[in-house]
mmCIF file of all heavy atoms in Angstrom:
data_model
loop_
_atom_site.group_PDB
_atom_site.id
_atom_site.type_symbol
_atom_site.label_atom_id
_atom_site.label_comp_id
_atom_site.label_asym_id
_atom_site.label_seq_id
_atom_site.Cartn_x
_atom_site.Cartn_y
_atom_site.Cartn_z
ATOM 1 N N PHE M 22 0.828 -1.206 0.000
ATOM 2 C CA PHE M 22 0.000 0.000 0.000
ATOM 3 C C PHE M 22 0.863 1.257 0.000
ATOM 4 O O PHE M 22 0.577 2.221 -0.716
ATOM 5 C CB PHE M 22 -0.907 0.028 1.233
ATOM 6 C CG PHE M 22 -1.985 -1.014 1.242
ATOM 7 C CD1 PHE M 22 -2.266 -1.729 2.386
ATOM 8 C CD2 PHE M 22 -2.739 -1.282 0.109
ATOM 9 C CE1 PHE M 22 -3.273 -2.673 2.415
ATOM 10 C CE2 PHE M 22 -3.745 -2.232 0.118
ATOM 11 C CZ PHE M 22 -4.012 -2.934 1.277
ATOM 12 N N ALA M 23 1.894 1.259 0.822
ATOM 13 C CA ALA M 23 2.750 2.447 0.924
ATOM 14 C C ALA M 23 3.391 2.779 -0.415
ATOM 15 O O ALA M 23 3.453 3.952 -0.812
ATOM 16 C CB ALA M 23 3.815 2.239 1.995
ATOM 17 N N GLU M 24 3.858 1.758 -1.140
ATOM 18 C CA GLU M 24 4.463 2.006 -2.451
ATOM 19 C C GLU M 24 3.429 2.532 -3.440
ATOM 20 O O GLU M 24 3.717 3.425 -4.246
ATOM 21 C CB GLU M 24 5.097 0.724 -2.974
ATOM 22 C CG GLU M 24 6.363 0.308 -2.238
ATOM 23 C CD GLU M 24 6.897 -1.025 -2.730
ATOM 24 O OE1 GLU M 24 6.361 -2.066 -2.302
ATOM 25 O OE2 GLU M 24 7.834 -1.028 -3.545
ATOM 26 N N GLN M 25 2.231 1.977 -3.408
ATOM 27 C CA GLN M 25 1.180 2.458 -4.307
ATOM 28 C C GLN M 25 0.840 3.916 -4.023
ATOM 29 O O GLN M 25 0.721 4.738 -4.934
ATOM 30 C CB GLN M 25 -0.077 1.599 -4.134
ATOM 31 C CG GLN M 25 0.076 0.157 -4.563
ATOM 32 C CD GLN M 25 -1.162 -0.664 -4.257
ATOM 33 O OE1 GLN M 25 -2.272 -0.287 -4.620
ATOM 34 N NE2 GLN M 25 -0.984 -1.789 -3.578
ATOM 35 N N LEU M 26 0.684 4.242 -2.758
ATOM 36 C CA LEU M 26 0.331 5.612 -2.382
ATOM 37 C C LEU M 26 1.470 6.577 -2.683
ATOM 38 O O LEU M 26 1.245 7.704 -3.137
ATOM 39 C CB LEU M 26 -0.047 5.650 -0.904
ATOM 40 C CG LEU M 26 -1.362 4.921 -0.564
ATOM 41 C CD1 LEU M 26 -1.439 4.631 0.930
ATOM 42 C CD2 LEU M 26 -2.570 5.727 -1.016
ATOM 43 N N ASP M 27 2.703 6.139 -2.452
ATOM 44 C CA ASP M 27 3.857 6.972 -2.801
ATOM 45 C C ASP M 27 3.907 7.244 -4.306
ATOM 46 O O ASP M 27 4.324 8.325 -4.740
ATOM 47 C CB ASP M 27 5.160 6.284 -2.373
ATOM 48 C CG ASP M 27 5.411 6.354 -0.872
ATOM 49 O OD1 ASP M 27 4.782 7.183 -0.191
ATOM 50 O OD2 ASP M 27 6.240 5.561 -0.381
ATOM 51 N N LYS M 28 3.480 6.272 -5.086
ATOM 52 C CA LYS M 28 3.487 6.410 -6.546
ATOM 53 C C LYS M 28 2.392 7.358 -7.029
ATOM 54 O O LYS M 28 2.448 7.873 -8.145
ATOM 55 C CB LYS M 28 3.299 5.021 -7.173
ATOM 56 C CG LYS M 28 3.311 4.974 -8.685
ATOM 57 C CD LYS M 28 4.686 5.230 -9.270
ATOM 58 C CE LYS M 28 4.699 4.929 -10.764
ATOM 59 N NZ LYS M 28 6.002 5.262 -11.380
ATOM 60 N N GLY M 29 1.397 7.605 -6.182
ATOM 61 C CA GLY M 29 0.331 8.531 -6.556
ATOM 62 C C GLY M 29 -1.061 7.969 -6.486
ATOM 63 O O GLY M 29 -2.036 8.675 -6.787
ATOM 64 N N ALA M 30 -1.218 6.706 -6.114
ATOM 65 C CA ALA M 30 -2.564 6.134 -6.000
ATOM 66 C C ALA M 30 -3.356 6.896 -4.947
ATOM 67 O O ALA M 30 -2.883 7.097 -3.829
ATOM 68 C CB ALA M 30 -2.482 4.657 -5.622
ATOM 69 N N ARG M 31 -4.559 7.310 -5.305
ATOM 70 C CA ARG M 31 -5.450 7.961 -4.349
ATOM 71 C C ARG M 31 -6.806 7.263 -4.315
ATOM 72 O O ARG M 31 -7.788 7.823 -3.863
ATOM 73 C CB ARG M 31 -5.618 9.452 -4.698
ATOM 74 C CG ARG M 31 -4.354 10.266 -4.470
ATOM 75 C CD ARG M 31 -3.919 10.279 -3.016
ATOM 76 N NE ARG M 31 -2.694 11.029 -2.799
ATOM 77 C CZ ARG M 31 -1.478 10.486 -2.781
ATOM 78 N NH1 ARG M 31 -1.326 9.178 -2.978
ATOM 79 N NH2 ARG M 31 -0.418 11.241 -2.575
ATOM 80 N N GLN M 32 -6.818 6.035 -4.770
ATOM 81 C CA GLN M 32 -7.973 5.163 -4.598
ATOM 82 C C GLN M 32 -7.444 3.768 -4.325
ATOM 83 O O GLN M 32 -6.590 3.260 -5.049
ATOM 84 C CB GLN M 32 -8.864 5.166 -5.843
ATOM 85 C CG GLN M 32 -10.041 4.202 -5.780
ATOM 86 C CD GLN M 32 -9.792 2.933 -6.577
ATOM 87 O OE1 GLN M 32 -9.480 2.970 -7.768
ATOM 88 N NE2 GLN M 32 -9.916 1.785 -5.929
ATOM 89 N N ILE M 33 -7.916 3.174 -3.242
ATOM 90 C CA ILE M 33 -7.509 1.843 -2.819
ATOM 91 C C ILE M 33 -8.748 0.969 -2.751
ATOM 92 O O ILE M 33 -9.799 1.409 -2.273
ATOM 93 C CB ILE M 33 -6.817 1.890 -1.437
ATOM 94 C CG1 ILE M 33 -5.520 2.710 -1.506
ATOM 95 C CG2 ILE M 33 -6.561 0.485 -0.898
ATOM 96 C CD1 ILE M 33 -4.409 2.077 -2.317
ATOM 97 N N GLU M 34 -8.629 -0.262 -3.228
ATOM 98 C CA GLU M 34 -9.774 -1.176 -3.184
ATOM 99 C C GLU M 34 -9.484 -2.347 -2.253
ATOM 100 O O GLU M 34 -8.419 -2.970 -2.325
ATOM 101 C CB GLU M 34 -10.104 -1.714 -4.572
ATOM 102 C CG GLU M 34 -11.285 -2.678 -4.571
ATOM 103 C CD GLU M 34 -11.631 -3.227 -5.953
ATOM 104 O OE1 GLU M 34 -11.049 -2.752 -6.943
ATOM 105 O OE2 GLU M 34 -12.484 -4.136 -6.022
ATOM 106 N N LEU M 35 -10.447 -2.652 -1.403
ATOM 107 C CA LEU M 35 -10.379 -3.813 -0.516
ATOM 108 C C LEU M 35 -11.611 -4.685 -0.754
ATOM 109 O O LEU M 35 -12.716 -4.167 -0.930
ATOM 110 C CB LEU M 35 -10.342 -3.383 0.946
ATOM 111 C CG LEU M 35 -9.201 -2.459 1.382
ATOM 112 C CD1 LEU M 35 -9.345 -2.096 2.855
ATOM 113 C CD2 LEU M 35 -7.839 -3.096 1.122
ATOM 114 N N ASP M 36 -11.418 -6.003 -0.750
ATOM 115 C CA ASP M 36 -12.516 -6.959 -0.940
ATOM 116 C C ASP M 36 -12.733 -7.731 0.362
ATOM 117 O O ASP M 36 -12.070 -8.746 0.608
ATOM 118 C CB ASP M 36 -12.181 -7.938 -2.067
ATOM 119 C CG ASP M 36 -12.166 -7.286 -3.435
ATOM 120 O OD1 ASP M 36 -12.461 -6.080 -3.525
ATOM 121 O OD2 ASP M 36 -11.841 -7.980 -4.415
ATOM 122 N N PRO M 37 -13.648 -7.294 1.214
ATOM 123 C CA PRO M 37 -13.846 -7.969 2.494
ATOM 124 C C PRO M 37 -14.804 -9.157 2.392
ATOM 125 O O PRO M 37 -15.779 -9.133 1.627
ATOM 126 C CB PRO M 37 -14.450 -6.869 3.368
ATOM 127 C CG PRO M 37 -15.178 -5.989 2.410
ATOM 128 C CD PRO M 37 -14.421 -6.050 1.111
ATOM 129 N N SER M 38 -14.517 -10.190 3.170
ATOM 130 C CA SER M 38 -15.411 -11.330 3.331
ATOM 131 C C SER M 38 -15.747 -11.444 4.812
ATOM 132 O O SER M 38 -14.854 -11.401 5.671
ATOM 133 C CB SER M 38 -14.743 -12.622 2.845
ATOM 134 O OG SER M 38 -14.554 -12.591 1.437
ATOM 135 N N ASP M 39 -17.018 -11.586 5.102
ATOM 136 C CA ASP M 39 -17.454 -11.629 6.497
ATOM 137 C C ASP M 39 -17.073 -12.966 7.134
ATOM 138 O O ASP M 39 -17.241 -14.029 6.529
ATOM 139 C CB ASP M 39 -18.973 -11.427 6.561
ATOM 140 C CG ASP M 39 -19.455 -11.149 7.969
ATOM 141 O OD1 ASP M 39 -18.676 -10.600 8.775
ATOM 142 O OD2 ASP M 39 -20.630 -11.469 8.270
ATOM 143 N N ASP M 40 -16.569 -12.896 8.342
ATOM 144 C CA ASP M 40 -16.141 -14.100 9.065
ATOM 145 C C ASP M 40 -16.297 -13.849 10.568
ATOM 146 O O ASP M 40 -15.312 -13.760 11.294
ATOM 147 C CB ASP M 40 -14.684 -14.422 8.711
ATOM 148 C CG ASP M 40 -14.217 -15.765 9.256
ATOM 149 O OD1 ASP M 40 -15.064 -16.568 9.678
ATOM 150 O OD2 ASP M 40 -12.992 -15.996 9.272
ATOM 151 N N PRO M 41 -17.542 -13.710 11.038
ATOM 152 C CA PRO M 41 -17.766 -13.284 12.426
ATOM 153 C C PRO M 41 -17.250 -14.260 13.472
ATOM 154 O O PRO M 41 -16.879 -13.846 14.572
ATOM 155 C CB PRO M 41 -19.285 -13.128 12.507
ATOM 156 C CG PRO M 41 -19.825 -13.972 11.403
ATOM 157 C CD PRO M 41 -18.814 -13.899 10.316
ATOM 158 N N GLN M 42 -17.207 -15.545 13.143
ATOM 159 C CA GLN M 42 -16.732 -16.539 14.107
ATOM 160 C C GLN M 42 -15.238 -16.845 13.946
ATOM 161 O O GLN M 42 -14.597 -17.344 14.868
ATOM 162 C CB GLN M 42 -17.527 -17.846 13.961
ATOM 163 C CG GLN M 42 -19.033 -17.680 14.102
ATOM 164 C CD GLN M 42 -19.414 -17.068 15.423
ATOM 165 O OE1 GLN M 42 -18.875 -17.427 16.478
ATOM 166 N NE2 GLN M 42 -20.342 -16.110 15.387
ATOM 167 N N GLY M 43 -14.689 -16.561 12.782
ATOM 168 C CA GLY M 43 -13.299 -16.885 12.497
ATOM 169 C C GLY M 43 -13.155 -18.305 11.970
ATOM 170 O O GLY M 43 -13.973 -19.191 12.257
ATOM 171 N N GLY M 44 -12.130 -18.518 11.171
ATOM 172 C CA GLY M 44 -11.823 -19.859 10.693
ATOM 173 C C GLY M 44 -12.451 -20.252 9.372
ATOM 174 O O GLY M 44 -12.118 -21.308 8.815
ATOM 175 N N LEU M 45 -13.347 -19.441 8.835
ATOM 176 C CA LEU M 45 -14.044 -19.804 7.606
ATOM 177 C C LEU M 45 -13.088 -19.974 6.431
ATOM 178 O O LEU M 45 -13.307 -20.816 5.553
ATOM 179 C CB LEU M 45 -15.103 -18.740 7.287
ATOM 180 C CG LEU M 45 -16.051 -19.009 6.121
ATOM 181 C CD1 LEU M 45 -16.839 -20.305 6.340
ATOM 182 C CD2 LEU M 45 -17.008 -17.837 5.935
ATOM 183 N N PHE M 46 -12.010 -19.199 6.422
ATOM 184 C CA PHE M 46 -11.068 -19.228 5.296
ATOM 185 C C PHE M 46 -9.667 -19.678 5.727
ATOM 186 O O PHE M 46 -8.687 -19.410 5.041
ATOM 187 C CB PHE M 46 -10.988 -17.839 4.670
ATOM 188 C CG PHE M 46 -12.330 -17.248 4.343
ATOM 189 C CD1 PHE M 46 -12.870 -16.230 5.121
ATOM 190 C CD2 PHE M 46 -13.065 -17.721 3.268
ATOM 191 C CE1 PHE M 46 -14.109 -15.689 4.831
ATOM 192 C CE2 PHE M 46 -14.315 -17.189 2.970
ATOM 193 C CZ PHE M 46 -14.840 -16.171 3.752
ATOM 194 N N ALA M 47 -9.591 -20.392 6.847
ATOM 195 C CA ALA M 47 -8.290 -20.739 7.430
ATOM 196 C C ALA M 47 -7.567 -21.850 6.696
ATOM 197 O O ALA M 47 -6.340 -21.989 6.817
ATOM 198 C CB ALA M 47 -8.473 -21.124 8.898
ATOM 199 N N THR M 48 -8.293 -22.663 5.927
ATOM 200 C CA THR M 48 -7.661 -23.779 5.209
ATOM 201 C C THR M 48 -8.071 -23.738 3.740
ATOM 202 O O THR M 48 -8.986 -24.454 3.311
ATOM 203 C CB THR M 48 -8.069 -25.134 5.830
ATOM 204 O OG1 THR M 48 -9.508 -25.215 5.884
ATOM 205 C CG2 THR M 48 -7.500 -25.274 7.234
ATOM 206 N N PRO M 49 -7.418 -22.915 2.936
ATOM 207 C CA PRO M 49 -7.794 -22.774 1.522
ATOM 208 C C PRO M 49 -7.755 -24.102 0.768
ATOM 209 O O PRO M 49 -6.837 -24.915 0.942
ATOM 210 C CB PRO M 49 -6.745 -21.805 0.976
ATOM 211 C CG PRO M 49 -6.282 -21.040 2.169
ATOM 212 C CD PRO M 49 -6.321 -22.015 3.305
ATOM 213 N N LEU M 50 -8.767 -24.314 -0.059
ATOM 214 C CA LEU M 50 -8.896 -25.556 -0.805
ATOM 215 C C LEU M 50 -7.688 -25.821 -1.701
ATOM 216 O O LEU M 50 -7.273 -26.983 -1.860
ATOM 217 C CB LEU M 50 -10.177 -25.522 -1.644
ATOM 218 C CG LEU M 50 -10.494 -26.758 -2.478
ATOM 219 C CD1 LEU M 50 -10.637 -27.992 -1.599
ATOM 220 C CD2 LEU M 50 -11.757 -26.528 -3.308
ATOM 221 N N ALA M 51 -7.125 -24.785 -2.294
ATOM 222 C CA ALA M 51 -5.975 -24.978 -3.184
ATOM 223 C C ALA M 51 -4.835 -25.683 -2.467
ATOM 224 O O ALA M 51 -4.161 -26.545 -3.056
ATOM 225 C CB ALA M 51 -5.503 -23.633 -3.729
ATOM 226 N N ARG M 52 -4.621 -25.367 -1.216
ATOM 227 C CA ARG M 52 -3.544 -25.997 -0.461
ATOM 228 C C ARG M 52 -3.858 -27.480 -0.210
ATOM 229 O O ARG M 52 -2.982 -28.344 -0.264
ATOM 230 C CB ARG M 52 -3.316 -25.250 0.854
ATOM 231 C CG ARG M 52 -2.923 -23.791 0.648
ATOM 232 C CD ARG M 52 -2.737 -23.050 1.964
ATOM 233 N NE ARG M 52 -1.515 -23.460 2.654
ATOM 234 C CZ ARG M 52 -0.309 -22.985 2.379
ATOM 235 N NH1 ARG M 52 -0.139 -22.091 1.397
ATOM 236 N NH2 ARG M 52 0.749 -23.388 3.066
ATOM 237 N N LYS M 53 -5.108 -27.771 0.062
ATOM 238 C CA LYS M 53 -5.511 -29.164 0.270
ATOM 239 C C LYS M 53 -5.302 -29.976 -1.008
ATOM 240 O O LYS M 53 -4.794 -31.112 -0.971
ATOM 241 C CB LYS M 53 -6.981 -29.231 0.670
ATOM 242 C CG LYS M 53 -7.315 -28.621 2.016
ATOM 243 C CD LYS M 53 -8.810 -28.763 2.275
ATOM 244 C CE LYS M 53 -9.238 -28.094 3.556
ATOM 245 N NZ LYS M 53 -10.710 -28.201 3.776
ATOM 246 N N LEU M 54 -5.714 -29.418 -2.131
ATOM 247 C CA LEU M 54 -5.606 -30.136 -3.402
ATOM 248 C C LEU M 54 -4.148 -30.385 -3.781
ATOM 249 O O LEU M 54 -3.809 -31.451 -4.327
ATOM 250 C CB LEU M 54 -6.319 -29.344 -4.503
ATOM 251 C CG LEU M 54 -7.843 -29.217 -4.344
ATOM 252 C CD1 LEU M 54 -8.421 -28.318 -5.435
ATOM 253 C CD2 LEU M 54 -8.509 -30.588 -4.378
ATOM 254 N N LEU M 55 -3.283 -29.413 -3.504
ATOM 255 C CA LEU M 55 -1.862 -29.629 -3.781
ATOM 256 C C LEU M 55 -1.297 -30.743 -2.905
ATOM 257 O O LEU M 55 -0.531 -31.600 -3.374
ATOM 258 C CB LEU M 55 -1.083 -28.330 -3.542
ATOM 259 C CG LEU M 55 -1.233 -27.234 -4.599
ATOM 260 C CD1 LEU M 55 -0.481 -25.973 -4.179
ATOM 261 C CD2 LEU M 55 -0.723 -27.708 -5.962
ATOM 262 N N THR M 56 -1.678 -30.738 -1.647
ATOM 263 C CA THR M 56 -1.204 -31.777 -0.726
ATOM 264 C C THR M 56 -1.656 -33.154 -1.189
ATOM 265 O O THR M 56 -0.887 -34.128 -1.138
ATOM 266 C CB THR M 56 -1.729 -31.496 0.692
ATOM 267 O OG1 THR M 56 -1.255 -30.209 1.116
ATOM 268 C CG2 THR M 56 -1.240 -32.559 1.666
ATOM 269 N N GLU M 57 -2.900 -33.249 -1.673
ATOM 270 C CA GLU M 57 -3.400 -34.532 -2.174
ATOM 271 C C GLU M 57 -2.620 -35.004 -3.396
ATOM 272 O O GLU M 57 -2.529 -36.212 -3.659
ATOM 273 C CB GLU M 57 -4.887 -34.393 -2.529
ATOM 274 C CG GLU M 57 -5.786 -34.235 -1.316
ATOM 275 C CD GLU M 57 -7.228 -33.926 -1.694
ATOM 276 O OE1 GLU M 57 -7.523 -33.903 -2.921
ATOM 277 O OE2 GLU M 57 -8.051 -33.721 -0.794
ATOM 278 N N LYS M 58 -2.046 -34.062 -4.134
ATOM 279 C CA LYS M 58 -1.229 -34.400 -5.299
ATOM 280 C C LYS M 58 0.211 -34.718 -4.922
ATOM 281 O O LYS M 58 1.039 -35.024 -5.787
ATOM 282 C CB LYS M 58 -1.221 -33.238 -6.299
ATOM 283 C CG LYS M 58 -2.508 -33.059 -7.073
ATOM 284 C CD LYS M 58 -2.297 -31.974 -8.135
ATOM 285 C CE LYS M 58 -3.424 -31.960 -9.129
ATOM 286 N NZ LYS M 58 -3.139 -31.126 -10.310
ATOM 287 N N GLY M 59 0.511 -34.605 -3.637
ATOM 288 C CA GLY M 59 1.875 -34.840 -3.185
ATOM 289 C C GLY M 59 2.774 -33.636 -3.331
ATOM 290 O O GLY M 59 4.003 -33.745 -3.249
ATOM 291 N N VAL M 60 2.174 -32.457 -3.538
ATOM 292 C CA VAL M 60 2.932 -31.215 -3.681
ATOM 293 C C VAL M 60 2.805 -30.403 -2.392
ATOM 294 O O VAL M 60 1.691 -30.194 -1.891
ATOM 295 C CB VAL M 60 2.415 -30.376 -4.871
ATOM 296 C CG1 VAL M 60 3.181 -29.060 -4.976
ATOM 297 C CG2 VAL M 60 2.515 -31.170 -6.165
ATOM 298 N N THR M 61 3.920 -29.976 -1.859
ATOM 299 C CA THR M 61 3.895 -29.155 -0.648
ATOM 300 C C THR M 61 3.537 -27.717 -1.017
ATOM 301 O O THR M 61 4.248 -27.084 -1.801
ATOM 302 C CB THR M 61 5.256 -29.166 0.052
ATOM 303 O OG1 THR M 61 5.591 -30.517 0.385
ATOM 304 C CG2 THR M 61 5.224 -28.323 1.323
ATOM 305 N N PRO M 62 2.446 -27.192 -0.468
ATOM 306 C CA PRO M 62 2.074 -25.805 -0.788
ATOM 307 C C PRO M 62 3.140 -24.830 -0.317
ATOM 308 O O PRO M 62 3.783 -25.048 0.716
ATOM 309 C CB PRO M 62 0.767 -25.607 -0.010
ATOM 310 C CG PRO M 62 0.268 -26.977 0.286
ATOM 311 C CD PRO M 62 1.490 -27.829 0.443
ATOM 312 N N PRO M 63 3.359 -23.748 -1.046
ATOM 313 C CA PRO M 63 4.327 -22.731 -0.606
ATOM 314 C C PRO M 63 3.954 -22.179 0.772
ATOM 315 O O PRO M 63 2.775 -22.073 1.119
ATOM 316 C CB PRO M 63 4.213 -21.642 -1.682
ATOM 317 C CG PRO M 63 3.662 -22.349 -2.875
ATOM 318 C CD PRO M 63 2.754 -23.402 -2.347
#
């Protein structure tokens, strides 16, 4: 963000997802699928 604003950006976009209890997005599916393929996720 700091680099963007330093460059001159004066509009920032954020995409929020509601998670009132927490944990809804803690284990992304892409990581699970890679593990099932025998690939260690980054």
